[in-house]
Amino acid sequence: MVGQSPTNFGLDQSRWTLKALREKIEAFKDYSLGGVWQVLKKIGVRHLRARQYVHSPDPAYQAKVEYLLQQIRSHNPGEQEIYFLDQLTVYLQPTIGYDWSPASQKQPLCRLGHYSNKTFRICGALNGLTGQTHYLIRHKIKVPTIIQFFEELTLKHPQKTIWVILDNWPVHFHPDVLAALAPQQSPFPIILPKSWQHLKPKAKFKGKNLPVQLLFLPTYASWLNPIEKMWRWLKQDLLHNHRLVDQWDALKIKVEQWFAQPGHQNQPLLQYVGLRALQSPFYRPFADASSNMSKNAF
């Protein structure tokens, strides 16, 4: 109740008060205001100063989740592949993580280098059927990079339709990207930034007709993309507290070697990120997020 506006309960005020709570909660009718305060304290409800925030909920959140579930359940392994795509920024300066340390030392040390920080970007995709990964490392991820990435996925899976589940970063649906793909089948409209709405795709990207279908996650729903856990594994293994602060090229090589390790491919990776082989089919993150579907539905 306190997470909602009092106006939802017929009160003409913007904030909750002890008096208002006593009025609207039947169990509080005979309590003094001090008694109401004591009960709230006991159950962990506090009177705190508000924090400003901006939130733009996706009105089609549940419908998009249901659509993704439908596509996953109805996929044909002989004709289709399912990939989860995302990007990660890697920094020359190490990110901070936990480590073991002698009791005499208050905390582990994470050494910084003397050079200014640098970054490179990884565009990666996790195959939800096999656990195989595909990635590109670039200084920046731009529209041509995304198109190249989709071209490489198409070469890996000839004669198949590739469903790519991804977030709403505008570059993913730039007019040039959409021009390079086969006509999209999603029932949800793609809303372009205003500066792109009259943008005509470049001729060199037209006619590629790449057999890629984009399945967009609801906005602000990164927890529905299991590749996020793959990034977590990479950070835990390599990027937190790393000691390559003065070896930029060596860091890139280490990242590429990490992807090549057998443990970061196939079933071990599927298990780590919470996916089983979708032949089952079972996709726990979507199942947990879908409030009106039980696991028995799979």
Side-chain angles (χ1 to χ4, degrees), residues 107-264:
Q107 61 188 126
L109 299 178
C110 180
R111 185 175 71 87
L112 298 179
H114 297 287
Y115 298 99
S116 59
N117 208 359
K118 297 180 181 180
T119 63
F120 63 83
R121 298 268 283 164
I122 306 174
C123 183
L126 166 65
N127 190 313
L129 301 171
T130 66
Q132 292 288 324
T133 57
H134 184 72
Y135 69 96
L136 286 176
I137 294 179
R138 295 289 186 271
H139 177 60
K140 292 182 179 180
I141 304 296
K142 299 182 178 180
V143 168
T145 311
I146 298 297
I147 295 173
Q148 178 188 348
F149 193 90
F150 290 152
E151 287 176 329
E152 293 183 3
L153 284 183
T154 301
L155 291 175
K156 289 183 70 170
H157 305 286
Q159 310 302 321
K160 284 189 176 183
T161 298
I162 303 171
W163 294 350
V164 179
I165 299 172
L166 68 176
D167 62 26
N168 293 266
W169 186 33
V171 175
H172 291 155
F173 48 84
H174 187 279
D176 286 344
V177 174
L178 296 179
L181 305 182
Q184 297 299 292
Q185 302 173 7
S186 173
F188 304 100
I190 294 175
I191 302 176
L192 296 174
K194 289 184 178 180
S195 60
W196 293 358
Q197 290 177 0
H198 302 290
L199 198 64
K200 294 183 179 180
K202 295 181 177 65
K204 64 179 180 179
F205 297 127
K206 293 181 179 180
K208 290 181 176 290
N209 202 36
L210 301 175
V212 173
Q213 290 293 319
L214 304 180
L215 302 179
F216 289 102
L217 294 166
T219 57
Y220 304 106
S222 58
W223 51 85
L224 294 179
N225 195 342
I227 198 175
E228 297 283 0
K229 287 189 176 180
M230 185 184 79
W231 299 141
R232 179 184 183 274
W233 194 354
L234 173 60
K235 292 175 183 177
Q236 297 284 6
D237 273 3
L238 183 61
L239 302 180
H240 287 333
N241 302 356
H242 76 74
R243 293 167 173 79
L244 299 173
V245 290
D246 299 320
Q247 303 175 58
W248 183 232
D249 292 333
L251 180 60
K252 291 181 181 180
I253 293 172
K254 281 287 187 181
V255 170
E256 292 183 343
Q257 291 174 342
W258 186 90
F259 278 103
Q261 294 178 39
H264 302 141

